[in-house]
Amino acid sequence: MSEAGKPPALRNFYVLLVVAGMVLLFVGYKWIGLAVFLIGNLMLERCWRLLRPQFSGGFQARWRAALDFYDATHSNRINRLLHIWGIPLILGAAIGLFVLPVHQTPWLWAAGTFAFGWALNIWGHAFHEKNAPAFADDPLSFIAGPAW
């Protein structure tokens, strides 16, 4: 256990697991990628709760906290615009990567679209918002982003 307010030592490793899960999906390892992605997210959620021992709310309070955090970390107008385009591209492409036959032409289009959507989001954070993607601090951002 970590001290309240201090990030758990393995948090960066869990972020790496989330990213690795997406990379595995991107290169065709569908079920392994999904499993690694989910494990990373579950562990990041555990870290989120360890950092906030005073949080005792249920699902609605947690969802509100995720939406508020997501909104606060996406205040730049250009970054928001890039996310409005990037998030649907990522979601649609992720579905394609998961359901289409690996390394066939439609799957390759999905892979390119997935990479382009992420490039838009990363560009927005790196050059406009100047902060890390929200999922590094709140794993519910993967759901809050599309809902936002």
Side-chain angles (χ1 to χ4, degrees):
M1 286 248 174
S2 69
E3 299 171 33
K6 183 179 175 192
L10 292 175
R11 185 176 143 259
N12 289 340
F13 176 70
Y14 302 144
V15 170
L16 182 63
L17 282 178
V18 170
V19 172
M22 290 185 280
V23 170
L24 287 166
L25 175 64
F26 179 75
V27 297
Y29 293 98
K30 300 174 183 190
W31 291 104
I32 295 171
L34 181 62
V36 170
F37 177 82
L38 290 174
I39 290 167
N41 269 293
L42 288 171
M43 297 312 295
L44 282 174
E45 179 64 21
R46 184 171 179 268
C47 290
W48 188 93
R49 290 178 182 272
L50 285 172
L51 287 169
R52 294 158 186 85
Q54 76 287 359
F55 181 81
S56 61
F59 176 77
Q60 286 185 335
R62 179 64 181 96
W63 179 243
R64 182 79 261 156
L67 286 175
D68 290 346
F69 176 76
Y70 196 88
D71 195 50
T73 57
H74 295 83
S75 60
N76 179 277
R77 184 179 57 84
I78 295 172
N79 187 40
R80 283 180 177 246
L81 182 63
L82 291 169
H83 278 62
I84 287 169
W85 285 94
I87 290 171
L89 291 173
I90 293 166
L91 282 175
I95 293 167
L97 288 172
F98 201 77
V99 302
L100 294 168
V102 176
H103 301 126
Q104 303 283 326
T105 301
W107 186 91
L108 294 171
W109 277 101
T113 302
F114 186 79
F116 182 67
W118 272 110
L120 291 175
N121 287 359
I122 291 168
W123 182 273
H125 281 285
F127 298 105
H128 299 285
E129 198 77 54
K130 296 183 181 11
N131 63 14
F135 75 85
D137 290 309
D138 189 342
L140 286 186
S141 294
F142 281 111
I143 303 168
W148 171 74

